[in-house]
Amino acid sequence: MKSTLIKNGTIVTASDEFVGDVFMKDGKIELVGKNLDVAADEVVDATGKYVMPGGVDQHTHFLFKMDDSRCVGWESSSAAVCGGTTTVVDFVNQEIGKSLKTSVDNYVRDEIGDQACCDYAFHTVVYDPTDELFDEIKHLPEYGITSVKLFMAYKGQAYHMEDGSVLRALQAAKEAGVTIMVHAENAEMIATLQQQTMDAGITGPYGHAVSRPPIVEEEAVRRAAYLAELADAPIYIVHVTAKGAMEVIRDAYSKGVKIFGETCTHYLTVTTDVLKSTSPENGEFEGAKYVCSPALRSQEHLDAMWEAVKKGWLNAISSDHCAFNFEEHKKRGLGDFRKIPNGCAGVENRMQMVWTYGVETGKISKQQFVELCCTNPAKINGIYPQKGTLAPGSDADVLIYDPDSESVISMATSHHKTDYEPFEGRVVKGHPSKVYLRGELVVEDSQYVGKEGTGKFVTSKPYGLAYQK
């Protein structure tokens, strides 16, 4: 493998910013410093550009099914690196009647195969909470997996977990340094509100938000905090959207509860109003493009999420990438918002959107951008410092970001392989000029130039960031 010297770029990590050089060799970063005097096979001049770690997106679904709908899979994984994300932590759903390990093995064989364009680690998702399952949680670190997700929402689905199952998982996980993650929404409240909303004649996409108000999230997060306190174990709340839910996390943590949370790109940049969108082609159903769970919120909540990531009350920004198509999937909910598959594409847009609406507006610093999009996700999932930083010995995952360009997000230039873009028409500042995955150039000017199948599994180590604070 050839060596590469990146010179004269503004190096940005979670703690530093300086003009300097990065030397990569044999897939690893060997040197980071000023005026490096080393021989390299290739020298790249990064003058005027930012040199940062490749992004780590800790919340993606390259396989998710809702009823008969199945999202776009790993054939679209080039979207990650084209957006500057070199590693994803993907959710692997347990197969009913099978172990977590068998489910992961089958997923790698049947779904990923030789398609991965980015590196990947895994969370497992519990669908079948048997006694054997809770015992297996303790052994997950032996497989290089150190996080488990449970759904408190979705009454009636196989993956809905009762409080007792969440408690048992927390108790089992803390023995092995495994982090329990939860989708926190009150399933009973939602089921009741959904029926009442339909009965009131609100059947279109906006009914999704009406039936999932902020309080259903706040209540479930508060309950999750109590469960974590009872188990004396860390708990991680995924995709936090609501001001009240965030405040529960903030306040419980300040009292000693080991509770943490993330938010997502769309909960920082898109409001509930889009669910009322109309178009000549789709009428009032246009808003189905933005149906995701938890539901989008008002500007008040968006502002609270920015405050939370700035002040460290939430410690990561993810995409919650779940790429359902509009024509094939979303339209199955015509006349009944409950049947609209929940999820949107987003892995390609995460870093540009957060840079544009966070860094460029002064809501967060460049160092916080790296911390939230690269370093903390790596620490949370036990893959730091292999991933998420620019340091000698780390994988040579490097993003060279050109801050001076401006472009418009469009399906025409997207790598998501979906039939629409949820951020269509958004102007973004800057773009990935070059992206290196373990020292290999895989993206040039936001275009994929790598080879499918070069992505590799990354082993996670137990006792991640949630155990260290």
Side-chain angles (χ1 to χ4, degrees), residues 56-64 71-72 85 88-91 93 123 125 149 151 154 181-185 208 212 217 237-241 262-268 289-296 316-324 330 341-351 354 416 420 422-423:
V56 179
D57 190 343
Q58 69 174 15
H59 193 143
T60 64
H61 300 273
F62 279 100
L63 173 61
F64 193 78
C71 68
V72 177
T85 293
V88 301
V89 190
D90 200 51
F91 289 95
N93 302 325
H123 314 285
V125 183
K149 181 182 179 183
F151 283 95
Y154 300 112
M181 298 178 156
V182 293
H183 175 137
E185 290 183 287
H208 180 72
R212 299 177 99 105
E217 183 182 345
I237 313 299
V238 298
H239 49 44
V240 177
T241 78
E262 66 171 12
T263 191
C264 302
T265 322
H266 40 296
Y267 301 124
L268 294 164
K289 294 178 177 179
Y290 309 98
V291 167
C292 56
S293 292
L296 298 171
I317 300 174
S318 304
S319 70
D320 196 3
H321 175 81
C322 190
F324 285 109
K330 297 282 188 178
N342 294 187
C344 312
V347 69
E348 183 171 8
N349 309 126
R350 178 182 68 120
M351 297 188 77
V354 175
H416 283 142
Y420 79 99
F423 299 112

Side-chain angles (χ1 to χ4, degrees), residues 130-144:
T130 61
D131 290 339
E132 291 78 12
L133 175 281
F134 294 110
D135 183 64
E136 188 185 11
I137 287 175
K138 306 170 190 176
H139 298 284
L140 286 177
E142 299 168 18
Y143 318 140

Side-chain angles (χ1 to χ4, degrees), residues 63-71 93 127 154-159 194 324 328-333 336-342:
L63 173 61
F64 193 78
K65 298 177 181 178
M66 184 172 174
D67 298 326
D68 294 330
S69 298
R70 172 197 166 116
C71 68
N93 302 325
Y127 271 52
Y154 300 112
K155 180 181 178 180
Q157 297 289 344
Y159 40 86
Q194 283 181 330
F324 285 109
E328 181 184 0
H329 304 133
K330 297 282 188 178
K331 281 193 172 180
R332 296 183 183 187
D336 187 343
F337 67 84
R338 297 170 298 181
K339 297 178 181 179
I340 301 171
N342 294 187

Side-chain angles (χ1 to χ4, degrees), residues 385-438:
Q386 181 182 353
K387 303 292 186 180
T389 190
L390 299 177
S394 298
D395 282 357
D397 297 346
V398 180
L399 164 62
I400 301 178
Y401 197 80
D402 181 353
D404 294 330
S405 67
E406 189 171 281
S407 58
V408 178
I409 293 175
S410 169
M411 190 188 78
T413 55
S414 169
H415 296 82
H416 283 142
K417 298 187 177 179
T418 49
D419 62 0
Y420 79 99
E421 275 294 313
F423 299 112
E424 183 79 30
R426 288 292 189 106
V427 177
V428 285
K429 296 183 179 180
H431 76 282
S433 175
K434 294 181 186 292
V435 179
Y436 294 87
L437 176 63
R438 285 177 277 104

